[in-house]
Amino acid sequence: MNKAITDGLVLMPPPFAAGLNLWSREDGLAGQGSYAAQPNAAFVPADQDFGGAMELQKTQATQKLRCFQQIPMQPGLYLQVTVRVKAISGAFPAVRIAGYAARSNGSNVPGVVQVGPSVQLSQYGQVVELRAIIGAGARGGVTMAWGVSAVYGHLGLDLTGPTGGVVRIDDIEVEDVTGIYLRDIFDAVDVRDYGAVGNGVADDTAAFDAADAAAQGRTITVPAGTYLIAGNLTIENPIRFQGTVIQPDSVRLALTRNYDLDTYTSAFGSELLGFRKALQALFYFTDHVALDLSDRRVDLVAPLDVAAICGLTTFAQRRFLTNGQLNAVAGPAWNTGVVTAVASYSPASPLRLSGVTNISTIEIGARVSGTGVGREVYVTAKNVGAGTVDISQPLWGGAGTRTYTFSRYRYLLDFSGFDDLSRFEIDRMDLNCNGIASGIMLPRVGLAIRVAESVFNRPKDRGITSIGSGCQGLMVDDCQFWSNEQATLAQDRTTIAMNVNANDVKVRSNRIVRFAHFAVVGGGGHMFIGNHFFQGDNASVGVRRAGLVLAQTNPRTTFTGNYVDNCWIEWSNEYDADPDFTSGFSFGGLSVVANHFFASDVAPWFRWIVIAPKGSGQFVHGLSVSDNSFRTLNGTIDRAEGVDTTNGTLDYGRFRNVIFGANAFNGVAQLAMSPLTIEHTQNTAADTWVVDSAPFMPFGARARNTQSIVAEGAITNSSNVAQFAMPYVLNEQGAGQGQVQLRWPSPVRGRVLATIRCDNPT
């Protein structure tokens, strides 16, 4: 490559034969003195070694010779200056190639080397040849690196040392040697050509920016070295790293054409640091919505505080993290932070603890446990001065002052530093927790975050944790959750796959294996569709635990097409600061339709649907359990549904709008059904027939409503004479109020079909 040819540049200074008036005895600037008619300078037309030459006597400490001609300089152009000299008489001077680096306004470029190595002359008549390369970048062999500010130069030489000596100088040659710096690929732009130093000390930000501006679609190359990028930098062209970049943590590098883990790893010399920097850039430029890890694994020795990495607390544009593995590596950074503190709780301030001791050591995102605390209650904020801690859910039995434990788990991806993060998606990721770390902690506030086609492998404590309303509209689709407690008995497990607090969560087509609980769910408007959660163990007649925990009374939730395997649905009001029912909604708004419920090797008391009220006065007013299959293996259970009365009871007199029907039962001793159509045969004439529906009423409910009575055949008296009178009905009869009495005008016998409900339908 020769820019003198390709770009028409005039690089050669004039020969001395053209006149010494073209040569400056200073820096070559316009108006400065020339060597024309100077007593110490002359043109020699026929030197035996040089032909035409300039003879110059040294009369100054530094005798300068510069051409007035402006020799062009530009990034990527490298010029070799060649000078041949010989001593004629007098004292021997030293000789060096030199020049004046000029900016566009003619001023000198400060701080750059403008002289080459000095050579001492030692013999008269001996021809000494000097070479020096001048260019923008400090590349190998470059004698004078002038950077990108130099637009042209006045080139020549200096004589130094003792005065009085006479030398002859051949015509000075300048040639384009850019080609020696080119590699096989000719469309590359080298950052050194634009002033990059690569010593890890000089700030190379401007050089990278200038190279990017000049690339025009060509590939930027970063040769071996360490390049300090002290300011935010966006590279718009393809880039290839052999050297590495160092940056302050708060400074961003956005590689818009090579936005992938491999390039960032090459740029920073570390897969972990490269990933952190790529993740940081994801939140700051819009050319890419996805960070693709290219099927690569990133080893994490500590949790990733995403908000701190990005330097943001709010973000609401759609972004993807996809196609790779985050792998937890053992170390102290994963240790759970545990603080014990005394605090007071009042239902009047349901989301706040006050008078908290040790508050400065309590971390945001810590799980709160203690007497009267529901499952999955977390710290969302704290005020050290006021001594208050804000929590994600009310405490159902926590009124008063008592001791609480605050446990802060450590997560591979921790978004809790975001005050508000929306539309972030994690897709096709392997979260390899290794029993060392938990998976994902969601932001305190957020909307429409999605986790899809990902694997949570052996989380130490939690898979996905919501500490506030960052789960609003959360979507968890086609994921696998593999417990770290596979060999642990069900009753001894502590890990939970996920929890939510806010509304409108969609959990679809996931597989969850052997956790303490699959999900602990607050809020409402949820859909659980097509999930398989298995929580059994290898024990005979083993203890089982809840799989799905609905933690408030009116979840407005659809539960359809799921496989509930060796666990149950537990429905409680543990997120209620006043668990005794006084007003509002009690247990309602739940549809459990077309699911497969299965259990093996369980005790007869096992149930698949359990209501666990806290306090008194709660009731069911909107529940549909239909078209489900209930089946046991290696044993029979008493029934499919039940009530846990440990902390409260149900008011069966207020049941309404309950549908429990069209289900299949196998290995279940007693069916549950409401409305229940039951056949009653009265063989002995009586004026009161007792129809016992109690065993069939779901959740031990009462026989509150008889919808119809249909006689099958004639109703006859003791003389076998048909009677055409109708009975009236007394509901809620018997010790458990699960019987219906049919009262006839006179003693009769026969058979009827009675349709009985455990509720009032409206």
Side-chain angles (χ1 to χ4, degrees):
M1 175 177 168
N2 191 309
K3 290 200 172 189
I5 298 173
T6 59
D7 294 357
L9 301 182
V10 178
L11 303 177
M12 283 293 291
F16 295 123
L20 297 186
N21 62 310
L22 301 177
W23 291 88
S24 170
R25 60 180 188 269
E26 299 179 64
D27 291 320
L29 301 178
Q32 292 182 344
S34 75
Y35 276 104
Q38 293 297 306
N40 65 331
F43 174 67
V44 178
D47 180 87
Q48 63 181 359
D49 294 312
F50 302 149
M54 179 181 181
E55 187 172 280
L56 179 63
Q57 183 180 25
K58 186 176 184 301
T59 60
Q60 299 177 5
T62 299
Q63 190 78 43
K64 293 184 177 182
L65 174 66
R66 306 284 190 272
C67 67
F68 281 113
Q69 181 178 320
Q70 297 178 355
I71 307 300
M73 302 298 301
Q74 55 184 240
L77 175 65
Y78 290 84
L79 303 180
Q80 179 175 272
V81 182
T82 304
V83 177
R84 295 196 302 162
V85 299
K86 63 182 178 182
I88 300 299
S89 63
F92 291 105
V95 186
R96 65 192 183 196
I97 293 172
Y100 177 88
R103 294 187 286 203
S104 59
N105 62 2
S107 62
N108 191 234
V109 177
V112 299
V113 176
Q114 300 181 73
V115 296
S118 183
V119 176
Q120 178 66 49
L121 301 183
S122 59
Q123 297 182 32
Y124 297 123
Q126 180 185 23
V127 176
V128 176
E129 184 174 88
L130 289 78
R131 296 179 185 273
I133 296 176
I134 304 173
R139 304 183 66 170
V142 173
T143 310
M144 290 176 266
W146 285 359
V148 296
S149 298
V151 177
Y152 61 87
H154 298 286
L155 307 181
L157 56 76
D158 290 338
L159 300 177
T160 62
T163 60
V166 177
V167 299
R168 285 185 180 175
I169 306 165
D170 195 7
D171 288 334
I172 298 175
E173 296 181 357
V174 178
E175 60 181 323
D176 181 359
V177 292
T178 304
I180 67 175
Y181 293 104
L182 292 179
R183 302 193 177 196
D184 294 335
I185 300 175
F186 286 85
D187 63 346
V189 174
D190 194 311
V191 294
R192 293 175 300 180
D193 295 338
Y194 296 84
V197 177
N199 63 2
V201 177
D203 184 0
D204 291 324
T205 307
F208 273 68
D209 196 41
D212 185 50
Q216 301 291 311
R218 293 176 292 170
T219 299
I220 301 167
T221 62
V222 182
T226 302
Y227 299 84
L228 171 61
I229 305 298
N232 295 325
L233 178 65
T234 298
I235 299 296
E236 302 284 358
N237 293 279
I239 190 167
R240 184 172 61 249
F241 289 89
Q242 287 183 324
T244 56
V245 168
I246 57 175
Q247 283 187 309
D249 288 343
S250 61
V251 170
R252 303 182 301 276
L253 176 64
L255 307 176
T256 63
R257 289 294 189 90
N258 299 93
Y259 187 64
D260 55 69
L261 179 61
D262 286 344
T263 302
Y264 275 86
T265 298
S266 298
F268 290 94
S270 160
E271 205 159 48
L272 175 55
L273 182 55
F275 173 65
R276 289 172 62 94
K277 284 296 186 179
L279 187 62
Q280 179 187 53
L282 181 64
F283 287 85
Y284 278 94
F285 70 94
T286 57
D287 296 71
H288 291 270
V289 298
L291 172 55
D292 191 338
L293 300 191
S294 305
D295 294 313
R296 296 286 295 275
R297 186 183 78 183
V298 179
D299 289 334
L300 302 184
V301 297
L304 287 173
D305 185 340
V306 182
I309 290 170
C310 300
L312 294 171
T313 56
T314 61
F315 194 80
Q317 298 184 52
R318 184 170 179 260
R319 289 292 186 269
F320 261 97
L321 177 63
T322 184
N323 195 26
Q325 182 186 87
L326 301 181
N327 183 62
V329 178
W334 301 110
N335 293 342
T336 299
V338 179
V339 176
T340 300
V342 175
S344 298
Y345 181 75
S346 170
S349 299
L351 298 179
R352 176 161 292 174
L353 297 174
S354 60
V356 184
T357 63
N358 299 333
I359 188 170
S360 61
T361 60
I362 296 172
E363 299 179 67
I364 302 300
R367 184 176 70 86
V368 186
S369 58
T371 303
V373 182
R375 286 160 285 196
E376 301 305 278
V377 176
Y378 289 88
V379 174
T380 60
K382 66 179 181 179
N383 186 323
V384 176
T388 60
V389 165
D390 292 345
I391 55 179
S392 60
Q393 294 289 352
L395 310 185
W396 67 269
T401 300
R402 63 195 64 194
T403 299
Y404 298 94
T405 299
F406 300 85
S407 304
R408 183 54 160 88
Y409 306 134
R410 310 302 177 190
Y411 295 78
L412 294 175
L413 289 170
D414 191 332
F415 295 95
S416 63
F418 281 96
D419 295 330
D420 191 344
L421 173 66
S422 297
R423 295 188 283 175
F424 192 85
E425 301 190 23
I426 296 170
D427 176 75
R428 290 177 294 149
M429 290 293 298
D430 184 356
L431 299 168
N432 202 15
C433 301
N434 294 325
I436 297 168
S438 294
I440 299 170
M441 178 171 277
L442 299 175
R444 283 174 280 179
V445 177
L447 178 66
I449 291 174
R450 179 172 178 261
V451 183
E453 298 184 50
S454 296
V455 177
F456 292 78
N457 190 14
R458 298 175 54 214
K460 177 185 176 185
D461 297 295
R462 300 294 185 266
I464 300 174
T465 293
S466 173
I467 66 169
S469 61
C471 54
Q472 179 74 34
L474 174 69
M475 292 163 277
V476 181
D477 297 320
D478 301 298
C479 293
Q480 297 185 58
F481 294 80
W482 296 91
S483 169
N484 188 48
E485 300 177 303
Q486 298 284 329
T488 304
L489 293 175
Q491 64 267 28
D492 297 329
R493 295 174 190 152
T494 61
T495 56
I496 295 176
M498 64 178 293
N499 80 289
V500 296
N501 299 301
N503 299 330
D504 308 330
V505 171
K506 286 81 177 173
V507 182
R508 297 168 291 205
S509 302
N510 302 285
R511 192 172 192 272
I512 303 92
V513 180
R514 291 192 172 184
F515 285 80
H517 305 299
F518 158 33
V520 178
V521 181
H526 308 312
M527 291 191 295
F528 288 82
I529 300 173
N531 304 285
H532 179 187
F533 45 105
F534 168 65
Q535 291 176 204
D537 56 28
N538 297 325
S540 178
V541 194
V543 175
R544 299 291 183 260
R545 301 177 66 179
L548 175 65
V549 178
L550 301 172
Q552 65 184 49
T553 55
N554 198 273
R556 308 182 328 277
T557 291
T558 298
F559 188 81
T560 300
N562 300 282
Y563 187 172
V564 183
D565 195 337
N566 278 275
C567 57
W568 64 78
I569 299 172
E570 181 176 324
W571 193 7
S572 79
N573 57 327
E574 62 190 73
Y575 288 168
D576 191 342
D578 296 300
D580 293 335
F581 181 80
T582 55
S583 63
F585 297 111
S586 191
F587 288 94
L590 176 62
S591 176
V592 182
V593 178
N595 303 282
H596 176 38
F597 292 87
F598 176 79
S600 59
D601 294 302
V602 295
W605 53 259
F606 174 85
R607 305 288 185 267
W608 279 296
I609 301 175
V610 177
I611 299 177
K614 303 291 190 290
S616 61
Q618 301 289 349
F619 55 95
V620 180
H621 71 122
L623 169 65
S624 177
V625 180
S626 63
D627 298 291
N628 301 285
S629 170
F630 297 95
R631 182 190 175 191
T632 64
L633 184 68
N634 296 335
T636 299
I637 65 171
D638 297 332
R639 55 192 307 125
E641 86 303 336
V643 179
D644 181 348
T645 59
T646 303
N647 296 295
T649 59
L650 293 176
D651 182 351
Y652 294 111
R654 301 186 67 178
F655 272 38
R656 61 185 175 88
N657 196 20
V658 175
I659 303 295
F660 206 113
N663 301 295
F665 298 88
N666 295 278
V668 181
Q670 177 58 59
L671 282 65
M673 188 179 301
S674 178
L676 166 69
T677 299
I678 186 171
E679 181 181 83
H680 177 80
T681 301
Q682 187 73 26
N683 293 316
T684 302
D687 58 2
T688 300
W689 295 6
V690 178
V691 181
D692 190 4
S693 61
F696 297 92
M697 293 293 99
F699 307 107
R702 304 173 185 174
R704 292 193 64 215
N705 185 286
T706 302
Q707 285 187 309
S708 65
I709 300 171
V710 177
E712 283 195 335
I715 302 298
T716 63
N717 59 18
S718 57
S719 301
N720 207 29
V721 177
Q723 304 295 303
F724 297 96
M726 283 293 294
Y728 66 89
V729 175
L730 294 178
N731 296 308
E732 299 180 280
Q733 301 299 300
Q737 298 179 290
Q739 297 176 347
V740 171
Q741 292 183 3
L742 306 184
R743 295 290 184 92
W744 300 89
S746 59
V748 291
R749 60 188 180 189
R751 183 169 61 242
V752 297
L753 291 177
T755 301
I756 303 168
R757 299 179 64 109
C758 69
D759 64 339
N760 284 330
T762 58

